[in-house]
Amino acid sequence: MHSMETRRKVERIVVHVVLIFFSIIMLVPFIWMLLTAFKSVSEATQIDPFVIFPTVWTSEAFSKVWSNMNFLLLYKNTLLLIFWRVVCAVLTATLAGYAFGRLEFKGKNFMFSLVLFQMMIPAQIFIIPQYLMVSKIGMTNTIFALVFPGIVTAFGTFLLKTAYMGLPVSLEEAARLDGCNIFQSFLFIMSPLTRSSMVALGIFTAVFAYKDLMWPLVVNSSANMMPLSAALATMQGQYQSNYPQLMAASAIACVPMIVLYLLFQKQFIEGIATSGGKL
Amino acid sequence: MGKGSKLSIRERAGAEKQKIQGMTRDKAAQYIWAYYKIPIVGAAVLIFLAVYFIRAFLNQPEDALLHVTFVNCYDDVSENSDFYKDFLAYAELEDTGEVIFDSNVFFDLSKDSDYANTYFQKTVAYLEAGTTDALICQETNMRGMAKGGRVLSLKDVRAAEIYEKYKDRVVDYTTKEGEVVPVGIDISDSPRLKGMKSYKNEEGCYLCVSAYIDNADQVEIFLDYLLSE
Amino acid sequence: MTNSKSEAKAPAKQKMTTWEKNQLFWGWLFIIPTMAGLIILNLYPIVNTIYQSMCKTGDFGKGNVFVGFANFSRMFGDSEVWQALINTIKYAIIEVPFSICFALVLAVLLNRKMVGRSAYRAIFFLPMIVAPAAVAMVWRWLYNSQFGLLNNLFGLKVEWISNPKIAWISIAVIGVWSILGYNIVLFISGLQEIPHDYYEAADIDGASGIQAFFNITVPLLSPTIFFVLITRVIGALQVFDLIYMVMDQSNKALPKVESLVYLFYRESFDFGDKGYGSTIVVLLLAVILVVTVFQMIGQKKWVHYE
């Protein structure tokens, strides 16, 4: 019994050491971003000798960026973009994932291989044709244009299909005996059990929507319809090597994502509560 | 069989109704939300999308007459600028959004950089989609665009009038195969660009026509404007 | 539409057909939004790419000319394309296994009840939202041969990203680093679906954490691992941004690092030769297709659904 206790303790310490080690590696760019934001322009680009900590901490970059850019409008556009992409992606992927994962019907395998096939094409070839579609229907410079390529997701469909395939057959049989049709058993029995996968897809969609630069830049050239990423790039274009300002802007841009993550982290972990008792 | 299922759905609906009627308003709202949030959200999304599309189609903007991309331009050429208004006056156009000057493009084809790469792709997309009609850029970028063959050879019939009018300003590009192609018009001394900070260094300033253009009449008017006092 | 109560009363054979009809109806209804979206968004670009791969792109407004398989025969004789294919595969061989193994271990650790779990999870999430420009800057600095942190810290004189022999490894390390957070999110979500009872039983049997990891976690998580494997292999074979952001065009190690998508980008965008660029995409597509089909066949051996 005693040895078991010591073993547990050692295990715990090892776990923390490993996690702290990786945390530091993962955090370097983030810390770097913050440190650069507080430097002067010359210090930020100096490499010999290299300056890690700013000699004088100045928040000038932050105040300049904050007064130059309309962050409230940018936050609004970005949040709208994220919201619609997440809603559309999770909704369509959940439906399709359930059909691919739980139902047997003619044409299923062919359709699923089409889904996989889309993932194999490098994203660069889609931009010009998709831009053509949006501009042909005269929808450039709208929120719809921003959301457009993210309405459906091959990745999410595959992810949800995997999640549904992992659920036991017995659950659905019980539901069917209780008189549920397929839609009801999907809605009330099965879909709540894949909540953690939905949240994972939500996180992915949100992060990609937030980071996507190419597409917003192409479809929404009007300044008041840009999301954060495109506005940051415009700023980078205009003040080419002002790294402190660029990093300060990136740091301010991270805030809504961090808030969203903290809000949804609880959901993510609590997936356990609903799906834990499935046996 | 169909009858049985209909009945059971109706029964279920009845039972639900009774259940909800037996609750307080708060409880009922909570209950409905807990059990029916996905169909509610789905229906709301569908309705919103339908309304959105109908509105967007009704307010569809006209196709632009002239779209010019200003590469690495740090001056204001937007609708509020004098440069823009002067051109409208010169071309005798109304201010109805038919002319677009896009200066949100920054790249240097002699250097790599992640953002510049994105802007370059944007420009290529605008050219290939036929959105933009002409580019205003400096020498390195003009040669870079010519390397990709995305600017019109001024000997093409579509640019015949421009070529005739501004023969002495034409700039050639020599391809890898040794073919000499006229690709740009030198506008470094344009009186209209004089007041700007951009395009002032030794790289000069050039106008290139998109290789994907249907008709270069508007570009010609723009060029006349640039080179007129 | 029928429900199963009435089905239960029907004869066995007819019950099957109604059930099948039901599945057919709901199955297609459920996949229609996704399939319609994917076809509208992606079908035309794909068909167009395949068509373009058989065209010679006309420069300066001359228009395209259909040339059949000329681009393909040019590609088969192009050693740069084959070198890029080897580079791409080498990159994937490092990125995929390491990013999956590290992420799996970290996800399992992050899933334990312990002090600071939320903080750790937040920390592993942060790199995903940092501006790409900051990421590229930091790595360029870390790898800088004169002033970089790595060389200064260990007193080395290594040219991390300009020595052709090691540059591809340095790039793959950045790849592992940048994909780790995403994989962790997927694995954590998969772990939520493993019942605690299993671990409690293992604990009573006195199994160590490592035994539990290999005997319970890995088999039960195998569907998620399979998903991550398929998507990561596809993603790794499409590597581009990373190379573009960290390597200069003048970097002498570039020929040993550039990937197929990098070549495609250079041909299609810089050189404006969409035809040849599309041919490279078709080659990449063929490679990914073969690898994925083999994985799909191989999954039956190690992936367990309930």
Side-chain angles (χ1 to χ4, degrees):
Chain A
M1 214 51 214
H2 188 72
S3 72
M4 191 109 153
E5 280 295 298
T6 20
R7 208 187 70 191
R8 285 261 163 85
K9 224 175 229 165
V10 172
E11 232 179 68
R12 256 208 301 277
I13 292 169
V14 171
V15 166
H16 278 286
V17 169
V18 171
L19 285 177
I20 289 170
F21 173 75
F22 274 97
S23 300
I24 293 170
I25 295 180
M26 300 302 275
L27 272 183
V28 168
F30 194 77
I31 295 168
W32 175 257
M33 186 174 86
L34 290 179
L35 287 177
T36 308
F38 286 106
K39 285 177 192 165
S40 66
V41 179
S42 59
E43 251 177 7
T45 42
Q46 193 175 331
I47 44 173
D48 184 28
F50 206 81
V51 190
I52 295 179
F53 293 100
T55 40
V56 183
W57 293 72
T58 162
S59 59
E60 198 195 316
F62 281 98
S63 50
K64 266 228 176 97
V65 162
W66 186 262
S67 58
N68 276 353
M69 291 171 87
N70 188 351
F71 272 99
L72 292 183
L73 179 73
L74 295 173
Y75 281 157
K76 190 194 109 198
N77 288 341
T78 304
L79 289 178
L80 273 177
L81 164 66
I82 290 176
F83 172 78
W84 284 111
R85 281 225 184 154
V86 169
V87 167
C88 292
V90 172
L91 207 68
T92 56
T94 305
L95 288 170
Y98 176 78
F100 284 128
R102 305 296 305 189
L103 304 177
E104 281 306 325
F105 54 92
K106 219 175 163 190
K108 178 179 108 165
N109 289 334
F110 176 72
M111 285 296 157
F112 187 69
S113 50
L114 272 187
V115 172
L116 270 185
F117 190 70
Q118 324 264 340
M119 295 173 63
M120 301 179 190
I121 320 268
Q124 285 84 354
I125 75 156
F126 293 125
I127 288 161
I128 294 169
Q130 286 176 357
Y131 166 65
L132 256 173
M133 292 177 209
V134 174
S135 76
K136 279 271 153 63
I137 55 169
M139 298 282 275
T140 52
N141 287 318
T142 58
I143 292 291
F144 167 79
L146 287 181
V147 178
F148 182 61
I151 286 175
V152 292
T153 149
F155 174 87
T157 304
F158 188 15
L159 176 69
L160 266 301
K161 175 199 183 234
T162 310
Y164 277 112
M165 281 176 82
L167 299 175
V169 189
S170 53
L171 270 174
E172 217 167 358
E173 276 169 357
R176 218 177 307 141
L177 286 178
D178 282 349
C180 288
N181 68 19
I182 289 178
F183 181 69
Q184 289 162 333
S185 109
F186 157 74
L187 193 58
F188 300 121
I189 315 293
M190 304 305 278
S191 67
L193 295 180
T194 57
R195 198 167 85 179
S196 64
S197 291
M198 288 190 218
V199 175
L201 175 61
I203 292 178
F204 269 68
T205 313
V207 168
F208 279 116
Y210 163 81
K211 268 191 160 176
D212 190 5
L213 169 60
M214 188 66 231
W215 179 255
L217 213 50
V218 172
V219 288
N220 283 12
S221 49
S222 141
N224 53 5
M225 290 310 289
M226 273 184 193
L228 279 164
S229 56
L232 286 182
T234 308
M235 199 190 104
Q236 151 103 346
Q238 284 167 347
Y239 309 98
Q240 293 228 305
S241 53
N242 194 330
Y243 284 108
Q245 280 195 23
L246 186 71
M247 294 300 149
S250 307
I252 300 175
C254 285
V255 173
M257 289 305 280
I258 295 172
V259 172
L260 276 184
Y261 180 75
L262 293 178
L263 285 178
F264 281 97
Q265 171 164 271
K266 211 170 137 236
Q267 293 274 321
F268 194 41
I269 301 169
E270 279 176 357
I272 301 168
T274 45
S275 63
K278 69 184 178 187
L279 280 190
Chain B
M1 235 175 266
K3 206 183 167 198
S5 84
K6 251 185 202 162
L7 231 140
S8 87
I9 284 177
R10 201 178 288 163
E11 273 170 13
R12 208 195 309 274
E16 289 286 281
K17 220 181 220 170
Q18 277 188 344
K19 237 194 239 171
I20 293 166
Q21 272 168 354
M23 295 182 212
T24 63
R25 195 177 291 167
D26 273 8
K27 270 254 179 73
Q30 268 174 18
Y31 175 83
I32 292 173
W33 179 244
Y35 281 85
Y36 296 102
K37 58 185 159 201
I38 297 174
I40 290 172
V41 170
V45 169
L46 283 181
I47 292 168
F48 179 87
L49 286 181
V51 173
Y52 186 90
F53 269 108
I54 293 166
R55 271 189 51 189
F57 272 109
L58 293 180
N59 304 329
Q60 220 182 91
E62 295 276 312
D63 248 2
L65 270 179
L66 175 69
H67 185 293
V68 182
T69 298
F70 290 72
V71 183
N72 296 342
C73 174
Y74 303 98
D75 292 277
D76 185 12
V77 292
S78 69
E79 288 97 74
N80 310 318
S81 65
D82 290 341
F83 180 80
Y84 183 89
K85 286 177 185 153
D86 286 351
F87 173 67
L88 286 192
Y90 179 89
E92 291 166 5
L93 290 168
E94 298 289 312
D95 188 3
T96 48
E98 286 177 320
V99 176
I100 298 168
F101 292 157
D102 185 358
S103 64
N104 186 16
V105 171
F106 306 92
F107 60 80
D108 178 352
L109 290 177
S110 62
K111 272 188 277 181
D112 279 348
S113 140
D114 49 332
Y115 279 144
N117 158 36
T118 317
Y119 278 119
F120 175 59
Q121 284 189 57
K122 170 184 166 175
T123 308
V124 170
Y126 274 26
L127 285 170
E128 290 194 5
T131 301
T132 203
D133 301 312
L135 295 177
I136 303 289
C137 55
Q138 296 200 287
E139 191 172 356
T140 316
N141 285 329
M142 179 185 69
R143 302 213 171 275
M145 295 311 292
K147 186 168 81 176
R150 290 198 176 81
V151 291
L152 190 67
S153 161
L154 295 177
K155 280 190 183 138
D156 193 283
V157 281
R158 284 168 283 177
E161 284 174 40
I162 294 177
Y163 187 73
E164 267 313 304
K165 220 187 232 170
Y166 298 104
K167 236 181 213 160
D168 47 330
R169 290 174 174 274
V170 164
V171 184
D172 289 331
Y173 173 79
T174 314
T175 62
K176 262 190 300 182
E177 290 82 25
E179 189 188 350
V180 177
V181 187
V183 290
I185 305 279
D186 188 344
I187 52 166
S188 308
D189 59 344
S190 157
R192 306 280 177 177
L193 296 176
K194 247 181 205 136
M196 293 190 177
K197 301 180 293 227
S198 322
Y199 310 125
K200 283 290 170 288
N201 60 11
E202 67 283 359
E203 279 234 35
C205 184
Y206 302 88
L207 179 139
C208 304
V209 184
S210 162
Y212 306 88
I213 200 169
D214 293 325
N215 177 329
D217 293 350
Q218 294 300 322
V219 177
E220 194 187 331
I221 296 173
F222 181 60
L223 200 51
D224 293 343
Y225 162 74
L226 283 176
L227 296 172
S228 69
E229 290 295 334
Chain C
M1 269 166 279
T2 66
N3 70 6
S4 44
K5 250 183 204 161
S6 45
E7 279 166 37
K9 288 174 209 149
K13 202 181 165 198
Q14 206 192 336
K15 181 181 129 193
M16 275 307 292
T17 37
T18 331
W19 176 230
E20 276 171 12
K21 263 189 205 157
N22 260 330
Q23 293 199 69
L24 189 71
F25 174 76
W26 286 109
W28 276 94
L29 197 67
F30 280 11
I31 66 169
I32 275 175
T34 299
M35 295 318 295
L38 287 177
I39 286 169
I40 292 170
L41 285 168
N42 299 349
L43 189 71
Y44 168 71
I46 292 173
V47 172
N48 186 44
T49 299
I50 294 172
Y51 170 73
Q52 290 266 353
S53 73
M54 296 181 207
C55 286
K56 186 182 186 308
T57 308
D59 282 345
F60 309 109
K62 273 180 285 198
N64 294 346
V65 187
F66 188 83
V67 291
F69 289 95
N71 283 327
F72 286 90
S73 53
R74 176 180 156 200
M75 183 176 71
F76 287 122
D78 188 343
S79 60
E80 200 180 4
V81 170
W82 298 112
Q83 182 60 47
L85 177 61
I86 294 169
N87 296 341
T88 310
I89 293 171
K90 269 158 80 181
Y91 172 84
I93 286 175
I94 293 198
E95 195 230 85
V96 176
F98 280 99
S99 70
I100 290 183
C101 292
F102 285 150
L104 190 54
V105 171
L106 289 170
V108 169
L109 296 183
L110 288 173
N111 205 38
R112 293 161 60 113
K113 280 211 173 71
M114 62 175 171
V115 187
R117 177 167 76 169
S118 299
Y120 283 129
R121 287 192 184 195
I123 287 171
F124 283 91
F125 172 74
L126 278 179
M128 292 199 256
I129 56 167
V130 178
V135 175
M137 265 179 71
V138 171
W139 282 100
R140 275 165 173 260
W141 164 63
L142 286 175
Y143 281 148
N144 188 300
S145 56
Q146 278 179 289
F147 317 109
L149 180 71
L150 281 177
N151 282 352
N152 280 331
L153 210 57
F154 301 108
L156 300 171
K157 276 260 163 281
V158 183
E159 294 180 305
W160 295 102
I161 48 172
S162 49
N163 181 345
K165 288 214 175 75
I166 52 173
W168 65 279
I169 300 176
S170 307
I171 293 289
V173 168
I174 310 179
V176 172
W177 178 90
S178 50
I179 215 66
L180 208 53
Y182 297 94
N183 287 357
I184 290 175
V185 167
L186 289 172
F187 284 136
I188 289 181
S189 111
L191 284 170
Q192 308 310 308
E193 273 141 40
I194 298 180
H196 286 283
D197 327 14
Y198 282 117
Y199 292 105
E200 278 154 24
D203 217 30
I204 292 163
D205 291 346
S208 72
I210 293 167
Q211 281 169 323
F213 175 77
F214 281 108
N215 296 328
I216 301 170
T217 310
V218 173
L220 284 175
L221 204 57
S222 59
T224 308
I225 299 177
F226 174 66
F227 169 78
V228 175
L229 184 67
I230 293 260
T231 50
R232 270 335 302 158
V233 167
I234 293 176
L237 292 174
Q238 292 176 353
V239 58
F240 166 69
D241 293 14
L242 199 57
I243 301 173
Y244 200 94
M245 270 161 44
V246 180
M247 309 273 290
D248 284 321
Q249 271 167 10
S250 54
N251 191 322
K252 63 181 188 289
L254 192 57
K256 294 285 180 195
V257 177
E258 58 187 6
S259 65
L260 281 176
V261 177
Y262 187 95
L263 270 194
F264 147 75
Y265 178 82
R266 208 189 57 197
E267 291 293 338
S268 289
F269 283 84
D270 287 354
F271 297 164
D273 192 349
K274 273 186 111 182
Y276 195 50
S278 303
T279 315
I280 296 173
V281 170
V282 172
L283 172 71
L284 176 69
L285 197 57
V287 172
I288 295 178
L289 206 58
V290 169
V291 175
T292 307
V293 166
F294 272 109
Q295 290 186 81
M296 285 289 181
I297 296 169
Q299 68 158 317
K300 288 171 190 126
K301 292 220 168 73
W302 64 277
V303 182
H304 311 282
Y305 297 100
E306 297 225 7

